[in-house]
Amino acid sequence: MQLNTIQPAAGAKHAKRRVGRGIGSGLGKTAGRGHKGQKSRAGGYHKVGFEGGQMPLQRRLPKRGFKSQTLKFNAEITLAELDALGLAEVDVLALKQAGLVRSIAKVVKVVKSGEITRAVKLNGIGATAGAKAAIEAAGGSLN
């Protein structure tokens, strides 16, 4: 390979389309814009979703629902995950370090899914009624 033989990859470079340069170019006269109308004019512009003055679809349909932005700070952990963790004392920081909850989580709750066999002490972690009963039955406690 020499410097004078280096070329760009095949198909990497292509001629720009020059419009409005006569009939022979194939894009003369209306320059690929069709005939008349707002979109054929220089500066012709309309907003996304504009339907020519008809009430746009996003305004015809009813507004519905709401997604709380505080939900991203909540996290859940199952009894099976808690059992597999294998710690005697568990707090939110331990769960974050183990990768069981996201680092952004502030409120963590244990849900009753799976079994727990070992005694676990929970600090600063909530639990559903069923999960609480299962933890206390295994000899654990909640703070």
Side-chain angles (χ1 to χ4, degrees), residues 83 86-90 116-122 135 137-141:
D83 198 36
L87 296 174
E89 286 201 28
V90 178
I116 189 161
T117 53
R118 62 181 53 153
V120 176
K121 185 179 180 189
L122 300 180
I135 290 166
S141 64

Side-chain angles (χ1 to χ4, degrees), residues 1-140:
M1 184 195 322
Q2 284 92 25
L3 285 175
N4 63 330
T5 62
I6 295 175
Q7 289 185 325
K13 297 183 82 66
H14 53 89
K16 294 281 181 233
R17 182 173 290 158
R18 297 190 71 209
V19 297
R21 291 295 179 272
I23 288 172
S25 71
L27 286 168
K29 192 175 177 249
T30 54
R33 287 172 171 260
H35 290 280
K36 296 187 182 174
Q38 186 176 22
K39 286 162 72 174
S40 71
R41 319 275 182 203
Y45 163 81
H46 61 77
K47 292 179 180 171
V48 173
F50 182 70
E51 298 182 18
Q54 172 176 297
M55 188 62 69
L57 183 67
Q58 77 271 17
R59 291 191 58 199
R60 290 199 300 266
L61 298 175
K63 293 197 286 186
R64 185 171 181 280
F66 166 78
K67 187 169 182 182
S68 173
Q69 289 300 301
T70 59
L71 287 177
K72 61 188 172 191
F73 298 111
N74 297 349
E76 286 182 356
I77 181 172
T78 64
L79 287 175
E81 289 171 334
L82 203 57
D83 198 36
L85 191 59
L87 296 174
E89 286 201 28
V90 178
D91 59 356
V92 177
L93 188 63
L95 294 175
K96 286 180 182 179
Q97 287 170 343
L100 291 174
V101 297
R102 295 184 347 175
S103 59
I104 197 174
K106 291 179 181 172
V107 178
V108 179
K109 198 171 205 179
V110 181
V111 294
K112 186 176 184 266
S113 174
E115 301 290 321
I116 189 161
T117 53
R118 62 181 53 153
V120 176
K121 185 179 180 189
L122 300 180
N123 294 323
I125 296 174
T128 62
K132 185 177 180 184
I135 290 166
E136 288 171 348

